Amino acid sequence: QEHLVESGGGSVQAGGSLRLSCAGGPRYMYSVYCMAWFRQAPGKEREEVASLESNGATRYADSVKGRFTISKDNTKRTLYLQMNNLKPEDTATYFCAAESSCGRRWTDFGAWGQGTQVTVSA
């Protein structure tokens, strides 16, 4: 199992920004795998926030379109999630994940980080 480590979480006011990072895992993961960000709020199911395929195609949850941007730096073996105009409903633990193909459910992904907390206050 690949070891991924998220960072960049924190507490911000509504309208603020954060950039999450996810590092670790082998270099090939960043060039050929699907990389994604999920989040899980207390009492809710883990949901996909954004995914990035090896060909560069991206997918976003409707709730974050236009506010969040997923990207990666293959040479640094790092995945990013730029989050702008944050809302209280974005409060959750955010996880990065990787798998050979982009599934839609968290159960489709085999490699995970430990998560980083994002708290947005009104």
Side-chain angles (χ1 to χ4, degrees):
Q1 187 172 357
E2 307 302 343
H3 184 57
L4 303 175
V5 179
E6 301 95 338
S7 61
S11 297
V12 297
Q13 290 188 326
S17 297
L18 285 173
R19 188 177 79 157
L20 305 183
S21 298
C22 169
R27 190 177 301 276
Y28 72 81
M29 176 181 290
Y30 293 85
S31 59
V32 301
Y33 269 41
C34 173
M35 307 288 292
W37 288 97
F38 284 75
R39 67 186 180 187
Q40 188 168 21
K44 293 188 177 181
E45 186 176 7
R46 192 170 297 189
E47 63 174 357
E48 182 184 274
V49 174
S51 65
L52 175 59
E53 297 189 41
S54 58
N55 64 5
T58 57
R59 181 174 68 207
Y60 294 93
D62 288 342
S63 58
V64 307
K65 283 180 181 176
R67 300 188 298 122
F68 290 12
T69 303
I70 187 172
S71 63
K72 64 181 179 178
D73 186 327
N74 290 358
T75 59
K76 294 182 178 179
R77 296 187 297 150
T78 303
L79 178 73
Y80 302 101
L81 184 69
Q82 178 66 43
M83 305 186 296
N84 298 328
N85 190 21
L86 282 160
K87 303 177 180 180
E89 51 264 42
D90 295 319
T91 295
T93 301
Y94 284 70
F95 301 87
C96 64
E99 189 50 73
S100 56
S101 62
C102 279
R104 289 188 172 270
R105 291 181 53 82
W106 69 270
T107 51
D108 295 328
F109 287 78
W112 290 90
Q114 83 290 346
T116 186
Q117 179 66 35
V118 172
T119 302
V120 184
S121 58

